Amino acid sequence: GESVGLHLPTLSVQEGDNSIINCAYSNSASDYFIWYKQESGKGPQFIIDIRSNMDKRQGQRVTVLLNKTVKHLSLQIAATQPGDSAVYFCAEKGVSRGSARQLTFGSGTQLTVLP
Amino acid sequence: DTEVTQTPKHLVMGMTNKKSLKCEQHMGHRAMYWYKQKAKKPPELMFVYSYEKLSINESVPSRFSPECPNSSLLNLHLHALQPEDSALYLCASSQDEGNTEAFFGQGTRLTVV
């Protein structure tokens, strides 16, 4: 079936370095993508989204890149801080079962920021 | 206000109990969702309500019964659960079912004993 997956389950970076979290998706009908951050014991927190008519979008310290040719999504975090330590999920929205649209999550990457 | 509020935060229930999880948002969103999340796993979609009507049921067992009394509230009624149903139950909402960001609550940590 269609799925959204991540290349690496864990990522450790030094404080102050840039982080890059990758995500592969397989549903060619996906046209909307979201990155979420989830800290322990909390719900997913929206970080940034991107629509399929774009290939790059920037937020505060974060950039999302979308490569539709290879069905790849990445999240770049600039100057990573200890508070960035969390699990990061990519999620995609696409048509499923006719017109019903679902938000499907990838498997997640645990980001650990080292002092 | 981008808050989705879930109550209770924690719930322990026996397999013969009946309980309800509650979710509330006041953002005027017309799509609301229930997700189930096991430890170290991504959230899995259970139900989607759009304009107070159930639009998606991901083959969820009938011991989980959703209800959308109005556009701001979403309930999940629980009955005769199994220990394997223990998980974090997340509620989310979005403006509609289209390409709009979904906001999540903090979840209810459910333990079935």
Side-chain angles (χ1 to χ4, degrees), chain B residues 99-110:
Chain B
N99 291 346
T100 57
E101 59 216 65
F103 295 95
F104 282 79
Q106 295 300 297
T108 294
R109 175 71 60 188
L110 174 68

Side-chain angles (χ1 to χ4, degrees), chain A residues 31-32 34 36 38 41-46 49 51 89 93 96-97 100-108, chain B residues 33 35 37 41-43 45 55-58 88 90 94 96-106 109:
Chain A
D31 56 8
Y32 179 58
I34 306 176
Y36 285 96
Q38 188 173 25
K42 296 186 177 181
Q45 177 188 357
F46 174 91
D49 60 359
R51 289 170 171 72
F89 292 103
K93 215 170 200 182
S96 174
R97 297 202 214 130
R101 299 179 60 81
Q102 301 185 35
L103 189 65
T104 302
F105 282 77
S107 54
Chain B
Y33 313 80
Y35 282 81
Q37 187 177 27
K41 296 289 186 183
L45 184 66
S55 66
I56 295 177
N57 176 342
E58 284 293 291
L88 181 68
L90 293 162
S94 62
D96 52 41
E97 278 193 286
N99 291 346
T100 57
E101 59 216 65
F103 295 95
F104 282 79
Q106 295 300 297
R109 175 71 60 188

Side-chain angles (χ1 to χ4, degrees), chain B residues 30-32 48-56 68 95-97:
Chain B
R30 304 312 300 269
M32 296 186 76
V48 179
Y49 272 83
S50 180
Y51 290 85
E52 297 150 58
K53 290 188 176 6
L54 184 66
S55 66
I56 295 177
C68 190
Q95 186 175 344
D96 52 41
E97 278 193 286

Side-chain angles (χ1 to χ4, degrees), chain A residues 5-82:
Chain A
L6 296 177
H7 293 310
L8 295 172
T10 61
L11 177 65
S12 296
V13 298
Q14 291 294 135
E15 182 178 355
D17 286 353
N18 297 336
S19 303
I20 299 176
I21 300 172
N22 296 303
C23 177
Y25 66 95
S26 57
N27 184 359
S28 57
S30 298
D31 56 8
Y32 179 58
F33 304 87
I34 306 176
W35 280 101
Y36 285 96
K37 172 187 179 182
Q38 188 173 25
E39 297 174 276
S40 181
K42 296 186 177 181
Q45 177 188 357
F46 174 91
I47 301 173
I48 192 167
D49 60 359
I50 189 167
R51 289 170 171 72
S52 59
N53 61 350
M54 304 171 70
D55 53 20
K56 181 179 180 179
R57 190 157 189 235
Q58 288 185 289
Q60 187 177 8
R61 281 202 306 122
V62 294
T63 301
V64 56
L65 299 177
L66 174 62
N67 185 330
K68 294 181 287 295
T69 302
V70 296
K71 298 193 186 73
H72 183 267
L73 193 68
S74 68
L75 177 70
Q76 300 177 4
I77 304 174
T80 313
Q81 302 169 0

Side-chain angles (χ1 to χ4, degrees), chain B residues 2-39:
Chain B
T2 58
E3 190 170 341
V4 177
T5 303
Q6 290 188 244
T7 55
K9 287 187 170 51
H10 302 275
L11 178 63
V12 179
M13 62 184 290
M15 290 187 282
T16 59
N17 290 162
K18 283 185 183 181
K19 296 287 184 183
S20 296
L21 309 184
K22 297 186 184 299
C23 175
E24 189 168 2
Q25 56 86 17
H26 295 287
M27 295 177 275
H29 289 174
R30 304 312 300 269
M32 296 186 76
Y33 313 80
W34 280 115
Y35 282 81
K36 173 183 177 180
Q37 187 177 27
K38 301 286 270 186

